[in-house]
Amino acid sequence: MDRRIRKTQKAIIGAFVELLAEKDFKDITINEVADRADVSRGTIYLHYMDKFDLLDKCIDYYFKKLFESCMRLDGTSLLLSKPLLVRTFEYLEQHESIYKTLLVNKGIPAFRSYMMDEILSNLGELVDVSGVKPDMNKEVAIQFVASAIVGVLEWWIIHATPIPAMDIAEQLWSLLERIQVMPHLL
């Protein structure tokens, strides 16, 4: 993709997130985004169909950035591990204002759902490889662990990262080990 296009899209998404921090999604207009990004309304429509498309692309953009930060250092699969949790929390700590905006804005519950879906998908693959305890239902285990991870991430971001990234990752990992839902992984 052309550098100018990337730069324009980044300015538009940045302006959009700034506006999301100030007001509900439903109250934001394309004109406001254009003014804030210092582009024309037509430029926005060259890149996005409407503000809902802009929201979808914004969520996708920031989720990909989060996902990339969580990848193993060698760029391979995203397995549940303590280093992955630490990297995730450190990245979120560095970019707290953006992710807090995406999680708390009343008009965009989609970011939490997107995060939950990705974690469910990755946990599903992980459980298929390693299995669960014989007396445990696979789907219940996956839902439980995913809900716990997303819930802790969401609480931590919404409450302005009250615990250092390393400490919250350690505590979450310790809880996951204690519950022994997936003994081969934890």
Side-chain angles (χ1 to χ4, degrees), residues 93-119:
E93 189 173 50
Q94 292 167 4
H95 302 90
E96 174 195 347
S97 64
I98 292 168
Y99 290 95
K100 184 174 183 176
T101 296
L102 294 172
L103 281 167
V104 301
N105 190 294
K106 293 178 195 165
I108 54 172
F111 188 77
R112 185 185 199 286
S113 297
Y114 200 105
M115 189 166 41
M116 185 71 165
D117 289 346
E118 282 298 315
I119 290 172

Side-chain angles (χ1 to χ4, degrees), residues 52-63:
F52 297 96
D53 185 42
L54 175 56
L55 175 62
D56 289 343
K57 300 285 188 330
C58 178
I59 289 170
D60 188 54
Y61 174 78
Y62 284 109
F63 194 81

Side-chain angles (χ1 to χ4, degrees), residues 9 12 31 105 108 139 153 155 158 165 167 171:
Q9 288 177 340
I12 293 168
N31 283 338
N105 190 294
I108 54 172
E139 292 304 316
L153 282 169
W155 168 85
I158 288 171
D167 294 345
Q171 287 182 35

Side-chain angles (χ1 to χ4, degrees), residues 127-141:
V127 169
D128 286 342
V129 170
S130 66
V132 294
K133 292 168 79 174
D135 62 337
M136 208 164 270
N137 179 289
K138 172 185 166 183
E139 292 304 316
V140 171

Side-chain angles (χ1 to χ4, degrees), residues 38-166:
D38 197 24
V39 298
S40 73
R41 187 178 150 94
T43 299
I44 291 180
Y45 286 117
L46 283 173
H47 300 279
Y48 309 98
M49 293 180 344
D50 54 24
K51 77 176 189 176
F52 297 96
D53 185 42
L54 175 56
L55 175 62
D56 289 343
K57 300 285 188 330
C58 178
I59 289 170
D60 188 54
Y61 174 78
Y62 284 109
F63 194 81
K64 281 181 180 170
K65 290 185 86 52
L66 175 62
F67 184 81
E68 289 166 4
S69 77
C70 299
M71 295 288 287
R72 290 178 49 179
L73 296 177
D74 61 7
T76 60
S77 69
L78 199 134
L79 296 176
L80 183 60
S81 66
K82 193 187 295 188
L84 177 137
L85 284 177
V86 170
R87 281 193 304 277
T88 301
F89 280 103
E90 287 174 344
Y91 181 84
L92 289 170
E93 189 173 50
Q94 292 167 4
H95 302 90
E96 174 195 347
S97 64
I98 292 168
Y99 290 95
K100 184 174 183 176
T101 296
L102 294 172
L103 281 167
V104 301
N105 190 294
K106 293 178 195 165
I108 54 172
F111 188 77
R112 185 185 199 286
S113 297
Y114 200 105
M115 189 166 41
M116 185 71 165
D117 289 346
E118 282 298 315
I119 290 172
L120 284 169
S121 169
N122 284 299
L123 285 176
E125 292 173 22
L126 213 51
V127 169
D128 286 342
V129 170
S130 66
V132 294
K133 292 168 79 174
D135 62 337
M136 208 164 270
N137 179 289
K138 172 185 166 183
E139 292 304 316
V140 171
I142 292 169
Q143 286 293 322
F144 180 82
V145 173
S147 296
I149 292 169
V150 170
V152 170
L153 282 169
E154 184 177 39
W155 168 85
W156 186 71
I157 292 169
I158 288 171
H159 289 91
T161 62
I163 301 168
M166 180 64 88

Side-chain angles (χ1 to χ4, degrees), residues 131-133 136 141-142 144-145 176-177 179-183 186:
V132 294
K133 292 168 79 174
M136 208 164 270
I142 292 169
F144 180 82
V145 173
L176 291 172
E177 283 181 322
I179 60 172
Q180 296 181 357
V181 173
M182 297 180 286
L186 305 176

